């Protein structure tokens, strides 16, 4: 019996080693392709938020890590420059209080503090209700375009149900409220830390969001 158990254990261990080896081999073979695809997807998103004709630097490499105000994790800021002059930045941001958890987004902001665009990159909101924050589900997120802390006034940066300037969704107020509040916080952060954002070290490469 002991010999049978030992033999089976050896077989299982061999299968495990082979599986780990195949996974590792697959990773090394595909990692460059995966990295290229991620970079291409990022570039497409950045181009949606800030017109590529407005800047001439390599945005993917011109990136600095920031510490989020709501969390200790590092968030990325991609800087757009034209002949070294700041044009805009796209900041990662996380609304911690969505209906079903955290809502990840990227927010493009011109150097004058005006929003160029907002896109939701990850969420777990209710399909058919809260998921209308996605551009492919509705154009709600386009309502942030050209907004700033002056227009509307910071006191109006909430949904209309709370006396603010932004529409909510029928049957779903928590989700848009969370997004609007986080976009406003990110705008305030940008206005206060713009020098840090544009002068910070290029240190994004090799970092990950946990």
């Amino acid at each position: 019996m002991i010999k049978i158990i030992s033999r089976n254990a050896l077989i299982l261990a061999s299968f495990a080693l082979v599986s780990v080896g195949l996974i590792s081999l697959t990773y090394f073979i595909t990692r460059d392709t995966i990295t290229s695809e991620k970079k291409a997807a990022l570039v497409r998103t950045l181009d949606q938020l800030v017109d590529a004709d407005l800047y001439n630097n390599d945005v993917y490499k011109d990136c600095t890590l920031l510490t989020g105000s709501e969390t200790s994790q590092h968030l990325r800021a991609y800087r757009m420059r034209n002949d070294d002059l700041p044009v805009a930045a796209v900041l990662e941001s996380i609304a911690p209080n969505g209906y079903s958890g955290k809502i990840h987004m990227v927010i493009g902001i011109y150097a004058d503090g005006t929003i160029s665009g907002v896109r939701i990159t990850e969420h777990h909101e209710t399909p058919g209700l809260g998921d209308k924050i996605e551009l492919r589900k509705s154009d709600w997120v386009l309502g942030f375009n050209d907004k700033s802390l002056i227009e509307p006034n910071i006191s109006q940066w909430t949904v209309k149900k709370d006396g603010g300037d932004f529409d909510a969704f029928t049957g779903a107020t928590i989700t848009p409220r969370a997004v609007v509040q986080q976009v406003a916080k990110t705008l305030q952060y940008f206005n206060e830390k713009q020098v840090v954002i544009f002068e910070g070290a290029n240190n994004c490469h090799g970092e990950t969001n946990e």
Side-chain angles (χ1 to χ4, degrees):
M1 179 65 70
I2 295 176
K3 289 183 177 179
I4 293 174
I5 293 174
S6 298
R7 184 178 63 186
N8 289 340
L10 181 60
I11 292 173
L12 288 174
S14 299
F15 275 119
L17 287 173
V18 171
S19 298
V20 170
L22 289 174
I23 292 172
S24 299
L25 179 61
T26 300
Y27 168 75
F28 282 111
I29 291 174
T30 62
R31 62 178 178 175
D32 290 340
T33 300
I34 293 172
T35 298
S36 297
E37 290 178 352
K38 285 183 177 180
K39 180 178 179 179
L42 171 64
V43 170
R44 288 194 296 271
T45 300
L46 295 177
D47 286 347
Q48 289 179 25
L49 297 177
V50 180
D51 189 339
D53 292 335
L54 297 179
Y55 59 91
N56 54 18
N57 63 315
D58 185 342
V59 179
Y60 183 76
K61 294 181 179 179
D62 198 343
C63 175
T64 192
L65 290 173
L66 307 171
T67 299
S69 59
E70 301 292 334
T71 171
S72 61
Q73 78 182 120
H74 290 298
L75 302 175
R76 296 174 178 87
Y78 295 92
R79 288 84 61 97
M80 286 80 167
R81 310 175 197 268
N82 193 323
D83 295 336
D84 294 327
L85 295 177
V87 171
V90 174
L91 279 62
E92 294 179 330
S93 191
I94 301 173
N97 54 341
Y99 183 79
S100 300
K102 296 178 180 180
I103 300 173
H104 296 245
M105 64 191 84
V106 286
I107 303 169
I109 309 174
Y110 291 117
D112 66 358
T114 302
I115 291 179
S116 63
V118 176
R119 294 292 184 274
I120 306 303
T121 57
E122 181 183 343
H123 72 88
H124 303 284
E125 302 302 279
T126 307
L129 292 173
D131 65 349
K132 292 178 183 178
I133 55 177
E134 295 180 41
L135 182 58
R136 65 189 182 93
K137 297 294 181 65
S138 94
D139 62 359
W140 178 82
V141 76
L142 299 180
F144 292 108
N145 292 4
D146 301 322
K147 294 290 194 298
S148 69
L149 294 180
I150 298 175
E151 182 57 46
N153 183 277
I154 185 60
S155 63
Q156 298 299 109
W157 274 85
T158 187
V159 295
K160 290 179 179 178
K161 184 176 181 179
D162 299 334
D165 198 64
F166 294 85
D167 291 326
F169 310 138
T170 301
T173 300
I174 294 175
T175 301
R177 179 189 288 134
V179 173
V180 171
Q181 290 176 349
Q182 190 61 32
V183 173
K185 288 181 180 179
T186 304
L187 265 179
Q188 289 177 305
Y189 180 88
F190 178 85
N191 286 350
E192 294 169 3
K193 304 290 186 178
Q194 188 170 159
V195 173
V196 173
I197 291 171
F198 281 106
E199 295 184 3
N202 294 327
N203 56 0
C204 290
H205 298 294
E207 297 289 342
T208 60
N209 277 352
E210 299 294 339

